[in-house]
Amino acid sequence: MQDRPGLVVTGVSGRMGRVLAGLIAADPGARLVGAVERAGHPWVGLDLGEAMGGAALGVVVTDDPLEAFATAQGVIDFTSPDATVEFAGLAAQARAVHVIGTTGLEAGHLARIAAAARHAPIVRAGNMSLGVNLLVALTRKVAEALGEDWDVEIVEAHHRMKVDAPSGTALMLGEAAAEGRGVALDAVADRGRDGITGARGAGRIGFASVRGGDIVGEHDVIFAGEGERVVLRHVATDRAIFARGAIRAALWGQDKVPGEYTMLDVLGLV
Ligand SMILES: NC(=O)C1=CN([C@@H]2O[C@H](COP(=O)(O)OP(=O)(O)OC[C@H]3O[C@@H](n4cnc5c(N)ncnc54)[C@H](O)[C@@H]3O)[C@@H](O)[C@H]2O)C=CC1
Ligand SMILES: O=C(O)C1=N[C@H](C(=O)O)C[C@H](O)C1
């Protein structure tokens, strides 16, 4: 049925790309209309379903994002920062909703994404799961209620292949804690400690990263006070939670005006 939004998955052979492709292909509310991989990848030119080891899906993997986006209403993108800014420009040209799950984006990338969002809706979040976005809302409230006598530390753990730290989720949680306290995260963040660091500074928000094995993603927000601790925790055991959120965002964005949105907008948590 052509009235279901057509979605393209970029980085389709990746850990997230494969989960997304499988879920969209089975989703009665969407159509999988394109699959993009980097030039030179062995899947380029193959039917996506066959490349994934299953039945043909009728979607050929391409390394030409412009061609793939031309017929799409949404682009779901979990790739790398440089690829994501290129896709933001191309999705905007195609007036397709761009859902960005990619993390490790720096100021220059964010500026280019903001420019693209003048032409089409972009939904970006360091974590697309319902549970983590609820945790973000809770973190803001708890930080506001407890104040600066309680030290905030964010500990995250991920699989051995993850290339960025702290995780995008940890940074979202840090932003939420800073917002609850009415400060800018950049002014108070301690991103990694080593050696003779001196005592912990009051009001700082600390980050620590663990990498190993196949850990999907775990996040603790620790509020450490005198004689007690509050710990907010999210544990992901299946990447489908991120993929379901991203598909929901792509469908939600269909009737939105151009601009930048987050999963809090999609889930009505703002
Ligand atoms: N926001 C969220 O909920 C989540 C975000 N992520 C983030 O998504 C990103 C990807 O994660 P994974 O799937 O685990 O990584 P991955 O390394 O398994 O997959 C990335 C894929 O992107 C492809 N790629 C890179 N450059 C490309 C280009 N120019 N054109 C087309 N394809 C290109 C790679 O070939 C690879 O297949 C990371 O930044 C990760 O932190 C991951 C899970 C959840
Ligand atoms: O790279 C991952 O795997 C994940 N990345 C996101 C992040 O950086 O927080 C989300 C999730 O935790 C998995």
Side-chain angles (χ1 to χ4, degrees):
M1 278 187 7
Q2 298 303 306
D3 56 348
R4 293 177 295 155
L7 306 182
V8 172
V9 176
T10 59
V12 75
S13 81
R15 280 174 288 274
M16 282 303 301
R18 292 171 195 238
V19 178
L20 280 158
L23 288 179
I24 296 169
D27 192 324
R31 286 177 299 131
L32 182 65
V33 297
V36 177
E37 251 306 335
R38 60 181 162 72
H41 191 279
W43 285 19
V44 172
L46 302 181
D47 180 276
L48 174 60
E50 290 172 353
M52 292 200 298
L57 282 171
V59 173
V60 174
V61 180
T62 180
D63 59 8
D64 182 349
L66 187 57
E67 179 198 48
F69 296 180
T71 57
Q73 285 75 54
V75 173
I76 304 189
D77 176 16
F78 290 69
T79 53
S80 70
D82 288 344
T84 286
V85 290
E86 181 198 344
F87 296 151
L90 298 177
Q93 272 182 47
R95 301 293 185 262
V97 175
H98 188 193
V99 177
I100 300 176
T102 308
T103 58
L105 298 160
E106 293 176 346
H109 301 114
L110 296 175
R112 290 179 61 188
I113 289 169
R118 290 204 292 269
H119 308 287
I122 294 182
V123 183
R124 183 176 68 82
N127 194 305
M128 300 272 171
S129 76
L130 173 60
V132 158
N133 283 278
L134 282 171
L135 191 67
V136 164
L138 286 172
T139 297
R140 190 189 304 121
K141 276 192 195 309
V142 175
E144 189 177 0
L146 294 179
E148 286 195 4
D149 288 347
W150 294 67
D151 298 327
V152 181
E153 292 286 314
I154 298 171
V155 183
E156 53 103 345
H158 284 88
H159 53 95
R160 62 165 72 98
M161 300 306 290
K162 185 161 179 65
V163 297
D164 55 310
S167 68
T169 310
L171 292 171
M172 280 168 69
L173 293 164
E175 293 279 1
E179 210 177 301
R181 288 181 164 182
V183 297
L185 179 60
D186 283 349
V188 297
D190 281 337
R191 291 175 60 153
R193 302 186 181 99
D194 188 22
I196 309 296
T197 60
R200 190 184 197 286
R204 307 297 295 178
I205 295 177
F207 292 87
S209 299
V210 174
R211 294 288 176 268
D214 62 356
I215 302 170
V216 174
E218 301 184 7
H219 293 86
D220 279 5
V221 185
I222 303 167
F223 293 86
E226 291 293 327
E228 57 185 330
R229 276 199 306 280
V230 175
V231 182
L232 304 181
R233 168 172 295 173
H234 182 269
V235 177
T237 55
D238 185 342
R239 288 186 174 83
I241 62 171
F242 313 127
R244 281 198 296 267
I247 296 167
R248 182 167 173 174
L251 301 180
W252 175 88
Q254 293 303 312
D255 60 357
K256 300 299 176 293
V257 297
E260 289 188 88
Y261 301 93
T262 71
M263 280 307 285
L264 297 178
D265 298 306
V266 174
L267 298 169
L269 294 173
V270 278

